[in-house]
Amino acid sequence: MEKIKAVILAAGESSRFYPYNTKHKSLIKIAGEEIIVRTVKSVKNSGIEDIILVVSNKKDFQDCLGDGSSLGVKITYVIQEKPEGMGEALLLARDNLGFEFFVLNCNHIEFEDLKQEIDAKRDGKSIVLLGRQSSGKHLGALKIDGDKVLRVVEKPESIEGFSDLKIVGVYFLNQKFLDALKEVKKEHYSFEAALDKCAEGGFVKIAETKKTVLSLKYPWHLFGIKNYIFSTLESKRSESAQISKHSIIEGEVIIEEGVKVLENATIKGPCYIGKNAFVGSNSLVRNGTCIEDDSVVGSFMEVKNSLIMSNSKTHSGHLEDSIVGENSRIGARFTSSNVRLDRSNIPSIVKGQKIDTGLGSLGVIMGSNTQVGTNVTIMPGVIIGNNVSIGPSTTVMKNIDSDTSYYTDFNEIIEKKK
């Protein structure tokens, strides 16, 4: 029997993932491991050992994954130089595919769970995995009858008559689909057009999941991936870690080698403290915080539900529901505001468009190599680019582009006593 293969899609510019799109978004580390590594492991755990990885920059992924042997799989790289959509990606990979194969987006570290839903439905037809959503706007929409797909339309003008189920980015396809893909017009949404063509012939059905389904379209989606990873981890403390007997550590907490935790620091899990990280005295790290390798949480700093990437350093203050890129520095008495006064969902501006994040709590999204002075406050949902310098005593109310100096212009008034 022919072994089933899996195609992982990891090409494209990830422009909506700014400011973390200087490399592919799946190469971001969470809890000490790249997202793409976790996805490959999940595919392996599902019983698939032959993987085709579609990428734009082969070197970056080879440096991370090699040929896959260290993870117990075989990886074949396919290069998609231009972001021309999923259909073009599969046509580039078609010579490496068997009669049936899985296709998934690079962020599906939960694939082994989702595959079970598809396996229960396999009968020779193509299968689209669906999950629940609140709105079909800006998403591929399906008309269905039971488990049979009647139509597939990308970005329909109206969602009336379409299912309220969401395409989650996991598919089980076959050569009939590839034949349809060759016939449809070559365009960015040729994948959806080929699915629609197969649906008209009665060759597509759905599988529905009620399990957690992860996205990685916008930078705040990293919170969902982080939280899923934390749900699978168990406490661990490296023997080489230096942990003060006067510190408090509660819940599921992973502390890697070389970590230093000073006196009166409190860590309340789930939390991850990466290799050689430093947690200063009288600091509080809590509620799903991930501190990556060589990063510093300064004294009197509170960090809640945040991701601090490698080699970034904070002084004192509050960092809540936030993401900080690599090699950034945050000065003393910093505050990331994380809720609106009216307590409604927090919007963010992405590519000039106002997006509802769906989050009631969201702090700052800060890029890499950014310097923040003392007494800085940043409003909820603000995105700070890479290589930014923010001057002291500045309140940031809007996004800051990369390679920018942003500061408050003080007018000094000196009065001479009579």
Side-chain angles (χ1 to χ4, degrees):
M1 181 180 294
E2 182 184 53
K3 289 186 177 180
I4 299 292
K5 298 180 181 181
V7 181
I8 300 177
L9 304 174
E13 298 175 344
S14 307
S15 60
R16 288 169 295 195
F17 209 69
Y18 173 84
Y20 309 120
N21 58 344
T22 55
K23 59 183 177 182
H24 194 271
K25 58 190 176 183
S26 67
L27 292 169
I28 289 176
K29 279 187 177 182
I30 300 181
E33 202 165 58
E34 293 85 352
I35 294 170
I36 190 63
V37 172
R38 295 185 182 276
T39 300
V40 169
K41 285 184 175 181
S42 189
V43 171
K44 169 68 164 57
N45 292 340
S46 77
I48 299 175
E49 299 180 354
D50 204 334
I51 295 172
I52 295 95
L53 187 60
V54 183
V55 300
S56 298
N57 188 327
K58 182 178 178 180
K59 183 180 184 305
D60 288 348
F61 284 93
Q62 273 195 319
D63 289 346
C64 176
L65 298 166
D67 61 3
S69 57
S70 63
L71 300 174
V73 298
K74 174 189 173 185
I75 295 178
T76 301
Y77 292 93
V78 172
I79 309 302
Q80 185 182 23
E81 294 181 353
K82 298 180 180 179
E84 296 179 332
M86 293 172 58
E88 177 66 14
L90 287 181
L91 288 177
L92 290 170
R94 65 185 182 274
D95 292 341
N96 297 293
L97 300 174
F99 181 74
E100 295 178 315
F101 51 92
F102 283 89
V103 177
L104 63 146
N105 292 329
C106 60
N107 56 280
H108 284 301
I109 64 175
E110 81 286 34
F111 176 76
E112 59 192 288
D113 297 331
L114 301 178
K115 180 176 178 288
Q116 297 173 19
E117 313 280 5
I118 291 180
D119 286 343
K121 289 275 191 172
R122 281 168 57 178
D123 63 356
K125 294 183 179 180
S126 292
I127 299 174
V128 181
L129 185 66
L130 305 178
R132 289 289 169 186
Q133 65 171 356
S134 59
S135 169
K137 188 177 182 181
H138 303 307
L139 298 166
L142 281 77
K143 287 185 177 180
I144 60 176
D145 180 12
D147 68 352
K148 183 179 179 181
V149 178
L150 305 177
R151 289 294 313 278
V152 181
V153 181
E154 179 67 21
K155 297 184 179 179
E157 293 182 2
S158 169
I159 62 172
E160 185 177 353
F162 287 88
S163 171
D164 64 348
L165 294 168
K166 174 185 176 181
I167 297 176
V168 302
V170 178
Y171 309 85
F172 183 67
L173 304 174
N174 54 37
Q175 284 295 326
K176 288 182 180 178
F177 171 81
L178 290 179
D179 291 340
L181 189 58
K182 294 174 188 175
E183 295 176 8
V184 300
K185 181 181 178 181
K186 184 179 178 181
E187 57 182 359
H188 189 76
Y189 295 118
S190 60
F191 182 91
E192 290 77 13
L195 267 183
D196 188 48
K197 185 177 180 66
C198 289
E200 289 179 355
F203 300 122
V204 184
K205 61 192 297 188
I206 67 165
E208 182 182 351
T209 181
K210 293 181 172 60
K211 296 179 180 178
T212 298
V213 178
L214 302 173
S215 298
L216 198 59
K217 182 177 181 180
Y218 298 108
W220 53 84
H221 287 156
L222 289 170
F223 290 110
I225 291 182
K226 171 182 67 65
N227 294 341
Y228 180 86
I229 292 170
F230 277 142
S231 73
T232 67
L233 297 180
E234 297 180 356
S235 292
K236 182 185 75 172
R237 297 188 193 182
S238 169
E239 293 182 357
S240 68
Q242 300 177 39
I243 303 172
S244 170
K245 64 181 180 180
H246 299 296
S247 63
I248 298 173
I249 300 176
E250 300 176 350
E252 299 292 329
V253 178
I254 293 179
I255 298 179
E256 299 284 18
E257 61 189 52
V259 168
K260 292 183 179 180
V261 180
L262 299 192
E263 59 276 1
N264 301 318
T266 299
I267 304 175
K268 294 187 175 184
C271 289
Y272 174 86
I273 314 298
K275 294 179 181 178
N276 304 311
F278 180 93
V279 180
S281 57
N282 300 294
S283 60
L284 172 59
V285 179
R286 64 183 179 94
N287 295 64
T289 288
C290 187
I291 311 297
E292 294 298 329
D293 299 356
D294 302 304
S295 287
V296 172
V297 175
S299 298
F300 296 97
M301 185 72 178
E302 179 180 0
V303 187
K304 170 237 174 186
N305 184 37
S306 294
L307 169 61
I308 300 178
M309 298 185 194
S310 300
N311 198 39
S312 285
K313 296 174 171 57
T314 71
H315 207 288
S316 59
H318 298 271
L319 182 73
E320 300 188 5
D321 305 293
S322 297
I323 305 171
V324 177
E326 299 177 346
N327 306 306
S328 290
R329 304 290 182 270
I330 295 176
R333 297 180 295 281
F334 172 82
T335 299
S336 62
S337 298
N338 65 328
V339 295
R340 288 168 55 98
L341 289 175
D342 61 8
R343 296 304 191 263
S344 60
N345 283 354
I346 295 169
S348 192
I349 305 298
V350 178
K351 298 181 71 174
Q353 183 179 4
K354 189 175 183 179
I355 305 293
D356 181 359
T357 66
L359 300 173
S361 297
L362 176 62
V364 63
I365 295 170
M366 184 183 297
S368 298
N369 304 304
T370 286
Q371 313 293 318
V372 180
T374 59
N375 292 308
V376 168
T377 298
I378 302 180
M379 292 296 104
V382 167
I383 298 178
I384 309 297
N386 303 299
N387 308 306
V388 170
S389 178
I390 302 176
S393 299
T394 298
T395 298
V396 182
M397 306 287 292
K398 60 183 180 180
N399 290 1
I400 302 176
D401 292 337
S402 292
D403 306 304
T404 299
S405 292
Y406 187 97
Y407 58 91
T408 298
D409 187 10
F410 296 100
N411 291 318
E412 190 176 67
I413 300 174
I414 301 175
E415 293 184 355
K416 187 175 182 179
K417 290 183 179 181
K418 294 182 180 179

